[in-house]
Amino acid sequence: MLIAQLSDPHIRAEGELYQGVVDSNRMFAEALAHVHALDRRPDLLVLTGDLVDEGRAEEYEMARTLLAASRIPFLVIPGNHDRRESFRAAFSDHAYLPKAGPLHWCVDDHAVRIIGLDSCPAGKHHGHIDAEGLAWLARVLAKDTVKPTLLMLHHPPFTSGIPYMDAYRCMEAQQLEDVVRGAPNVELVLCGHVHRTMLRRWGGTVVCSCPSTTTEIALQLRPDAPPQSHVGPRGCMLHLWDERHGMVSHVSHIGDFAGPYAFA
């Protein structure tokens, strides 16, 4: 099974630029085209939050317009720039999304079980899973401790070292880690939020964050570093599950590059 991951497109209303600088809508359309042009079409597309920039209805209308081009079934979780009820309304045709409360869900229709966690407290930018969400996750994980499972949440549950991102990290992540550590079949935890690829051993598994389809958060590790971003490099993640070899993840850069050449 091949799973493509796109994250943090920050879609805007028609004619509006993200941060007044970049055409995030065009960039997301290009990212979708990139995924569809791969030499093996993914079986599933997952979107790990911040689908839109301000949570406005017209932004979600644009998101659905752009996603109408996808010939790959897709699953969604919210990010801190999404608004839960507007998000729920925009994807009301996605039956796996709960009709009320946090947008936690489980889809078990594929070779890999997919679990989505809503890590976004209303009106806040940091991440948090409350006690009810942790209990829900523990129950879902306990139902099957064998089938390969992929867990998604928007906020990476660790400290990245980039100070202006860590201010909005997933808070009190130890409780979440304790729950995940009890599930030996969680192959991978997928996140967005940081607009970069990061990897960390965590909870007995591996956490992987996905680059944004728009901008890249600058890699600055000084504690007094000011917030900065770059336009590019953009990318997506590809997660390949094989019964014999397990899960392998690849970064796929979006854009035109020299080649291919006849060597490897």
Side-chain angles (χ1 to χ4, degrees), residues 9-25:
H10 289 271
I11 291 166
R12 301 282 290 170
E14 185 174 3
E16 295 180 355
L17 299 178
Y18 171 58
Q19 298 294 330
V21 175
V22 295
D23 187 349
S24 56
N25 297 353

Side-chain angles (χ1 to χ4, degrees), residues 4-252:
Q5 179 187 4
L6 297 175
S7 199
D8 297 83
H10 289 271
I11 291 166
R12 301 282 290 170
E14 185 174 3
E16 295 180 355
L17 299 178
Y18 171 58
Q19 298 294 330
V21 175
V22 295
D23 187 349
S24 56
N25 297 353
R26 174 183 57 80
M27 290 174 165
F28 184 63
E30 291 172 353
L32 277 177
H34 174 84
V35 168
H36 283 76
L38 294 168
D39 68 338
R40 173 177 169 180
R41 179 165 295 175
D43 302 290
L44 185 67
L45 170 64
V46 296
L47 298 145
T48 45
D50 282 359
L51 271 69
V52 305
D53 193 41
E54 296 181 347
R56 293 181 288 143
E58 56 266 36
E59 292 178 329
Y60 286 113
E61 290 173 10
M62 177 57 68
R64 291 310 306 256
T65 296
L66 294 170
L67 282 164
S70 180
R71 299 185 298 280
I72 303 167
F74 62 90
L75 303 172
V76 293
I77 59 171
N80 56 293
H81 282 261
D82 292 300
R83 292 182 184 173
R84 184 178 292 156
E85 295 312 317
S86 298
F87 186 100
R88 196 193 317 269
F91 295 97
S92 60
D93 57 323
H94 285 230
Y96 59 90
L97 292 176
K99 303 302 182 185
L103 293 165
H104 307 317
W105 51 260
C106 177
V107 170
D108 202 3
D109 301 334
H110 307 282
V112 175
R113 179 175 58 165
I114 315 289
I115 298 174
L117 276 181
D118 181 348
S119 62
C120 304
K124 306 293 184 181
H125 282 291
H126 69 268
H128 176 67
I129 308 295
D130 63 17
E132 290 185 4
L134 293 172
W136 176 89
L137 177 62
R139 291 193 300 271
V140 171
L141 290 173
K143 288 179 180 179
D144 190 334
T145 58
V146 176
K147 185 173 182 176
T149 295
L150 188 153
L151 175 64
M152 305 194 304
L153 69 160
H154 181 64
H155 299 79
F158 58 81
T159 300
S160 71
I162 301 175
Y164 41 86
M165 294 307 299
D166 288 338
Y168 306 110
R169 69 187 185 278
C170 186
M171 304 296 184
E172 300 172 330
Q174 184 61 55
Q175 296 93 323
L176 176 61
E177 182 174 1
D178 292 342
V179 172
V180 173
R181 191 176 295 279
N185 53 328
V186 175
E187 292 284 333
L188 195 60
V189 179
L190 302 185
C191 305
H193 188 54
V194 289
H195 290 218
R196 301 188 59 84
T197 303
M198 300 181 190
L199 298 171
R200 190 182 189 278
R201 184 179 177 89
W202 177 87
T205 184
V206 175
V207 181
C208 176
S209 67
C210 185
S212 169
T213 61
T214 54
T215 55
E216 182 182 61
I217 299 284
L219 177 57
Q220 300 183 101
L221 303 178
R222 297 192 332 268
D224 61 343
Q228 291 182 338
S229 294
H230 302 277
V231 180
R234 297 177 291 147
C236 64
M237 299 295 297
L238 300 173
H239 309 288
L240 179 62
W241 163 257
D242 182 273
E243 188 174 354
R244 295 169 299 168
H245 306 301
M247 186 79 78
V248 177
S249 297
H250 301 263
V251 179
S252 184

